[in-house]
Amino acid sequence: MFKNTLLKALETAGTKIRSFDETDFKISSKEGINNLVTEVDHAAEEVIIATIKESFPDHHILSEECGDLVQDSQYKWIIDPIDGTVNFANRIPICCVSIGLEHNGKMILGGVFNPFLNELFLAERGQGATLNDKKISVSTKTSVEAACLVTGFPYTYLDEPNGPLEVFGRFIRKGVPVRRLGSAAIDLAWVACGRFDGFFEHKLQAWDSAAGFLLVEEAGGKVTNMKGEPYSPYEHGIIASNGTIHDELIQWVKGEIPQQS
Ligand code: IPD
Ligand code: CA
Ligand code: CA
């Protein structure tokens, strides 16, 4: 029942997003000039919430553009109507709808749908993860130096020790490929299906990672905060990997790997 609602919400939002393919849409800035929101984010959010409310009017909803619709419920839907809005606004087809369902504080269901590539990633706690109905699993790489990684950067510069640029530079100086796709939910989904071996980002919000982190765990990978502690979508820093390289990846992010001059 939950899964049907999730699938319907992802599909309806995807169709809404694609309906703007040939149409102009309004783009505005949130805080800072490059943190964008479009009328399509709002339109997709509206159909997702309507779909959820149709079946579960009493469930709590947390969604990026409309905020917290608090209800006294054990269930909470965590929604990013478009993750990768800057890509979407530039018609770069790397963006998705991301929806996670939490039960008593535990993520039990997550879906990430890229309507441009027609890729639907789904995870159910204890049931594994799929991409377009086929089981997926994380990669088998065994070292960070051999890995292909992905990261993201916040909209405003984070000036702190071991901040995003410093950590990024650490990998680039050693020739480790680090991609930047612009959608954290897709970054996580692509770790889950083995395209990337690891992902790290300093400042995410719950809606960016709620669905993706379950995908990684259910595909056999590992997700923690930047200190290596169990991950919660309510904290900002995240490290996700195939599991095998996880401890090493944490060391790199912390700056504990000796640097070549
Ligand atoms: C953003 C994307 C991006 C990440 C940013 C997020 P949005 O979400 O996930 O990859 O680096 O931190 O805010 O704004 O496109 O929904
Ligand atoms: Ca997002
Ligand atoms: Ca968004």
Side-chain angles (χ1 to χ4, degrees):
M1 184 65 175
F2 294 139
K3 191 171 152 187
N4 288 344
T5 301
L6 174 77
L7 290 173
K8 190 173 168 199
L10 290 168
E11 200 188 305
T12 322
T15 305
K16 176 61 78 180
I17 292 167
R18 291 302 309 257
S19 72
F20 286 83
D21 277 359
E22 312 290 332
T23 315
D24 285 345
F25 47 81
K26 199 165 158 250
I27 305 174
S28 16
S29 298
K30 299 203 263 192
E31 45 339 317
I33 183 168
N34 286 315
N35 188 356
L36 306 179
V37 61
T38 72
E39 67 172 290
V40 189
D41 293 70
H42 291 292
E45 183 173 70
E46 205 174 296
V47 296
I48 294 165
I49 292 176
T51 305
I52 293 168
K53 280 194 173 292
E54 205 173 87
S55 303
F56 306 109
D58 301 333
H59 284 188
H60 186 157
I61 287 175
L62 169 66
S63 187
E64 180 173 11
E65 309 308 338
C66 73
D68 227 345
L69 306 176
V70 181
Q71 296 259 36
D72 185 16
S73 167
Q74 297 177 335
Y75 291 95
K76 182 174 177 180
W77 296 81
I78 306 178
I79 302 163
D80 196 336
I82 300 183
D83 186 57
T85 295
V86 172
N87 286 345
F88 175 74
N90 288 283
R91 307 222 183 244
I92 296 168
I94 301 182
C95 56
C96 64
V97 185
S98 171
I99 304 176
L101 175 61
E102 202 181 75
H103 178 234
N104 288 333
K106 261 199 159 181
M107 204 59 59
I108 56 166
L109 195 61
V112 167
F113 179 46
N114 178 340
F116 297 97
L117 300 185
N118 247 313
E119 290 195 329
L120 170 65
F121 295 86
L122 204 63
E124 280 179 87
R125 181 167 290 279
Q127 305 291 312
T130 55
L131 162 54
N132 293 346
D133 288 329
K134 286 203 184 107
K135 265 263 183 285
I136 50 173
S137 52
V138 292
S139 74
T140 54
K141 293 267 182 64
T142 55
S143 81
V144 167
E145 276 191 321
C148 181
L149 305 174
V150 64
T151 190
F153 301 98
Y155 291 105
T156 40
Y157 184 62
L158 246 195
D159 192 7
E160 60 181 35
N162 274 327
L165 275 181
E166 195 180 330
V167 174
F168 182 64
R170 195 170 291 145
F171 292 100
I172 299 309
R173 285 199 174 91
K174 292 251 187 157
V176 178
V178 184
R179 303 291 182 250
R180 198 278 198 246
L181 297 185
S183 162
I186 291 182
D187 296 337
L188 286 161
W190 287 21
V191 171
C193 71
R195 291 176 188 162
F196 292 125
D197 308 299
F199 165 65
F200 56 90
E201 185 155 352
H202 287 71
K203 204 173 170 203
L204 291 185
Q205 304 297 334
W207 43 79
D208 299 315
S209 63
F213 109 84
L214 188 64
L215 281 167
V216 174
E217 288 194 344
E218 287 299 322
K222 189 166 177 182
V223 187
T224 63
N225 65 15
M226 287 193 160
K227 291 186 232 150
E229 297 158 350
Y231 184 67
S232 150
Y234 302 101
E235 59 185 306
H236 296 308
I238 185 170
I239 298 187
S241 78
N242 65 4
T244 316
I245 64 163
H246 204 85
D247 291 346
E248 199 198 340
L249 187 54
I250 290 172
Q251 283 184 297
W252 279 70
V253 170
K254 284 183 175 167
E256 289 169 4
I257 294 286
Q259 294 297 289
Q260 278 170 344
S261 53

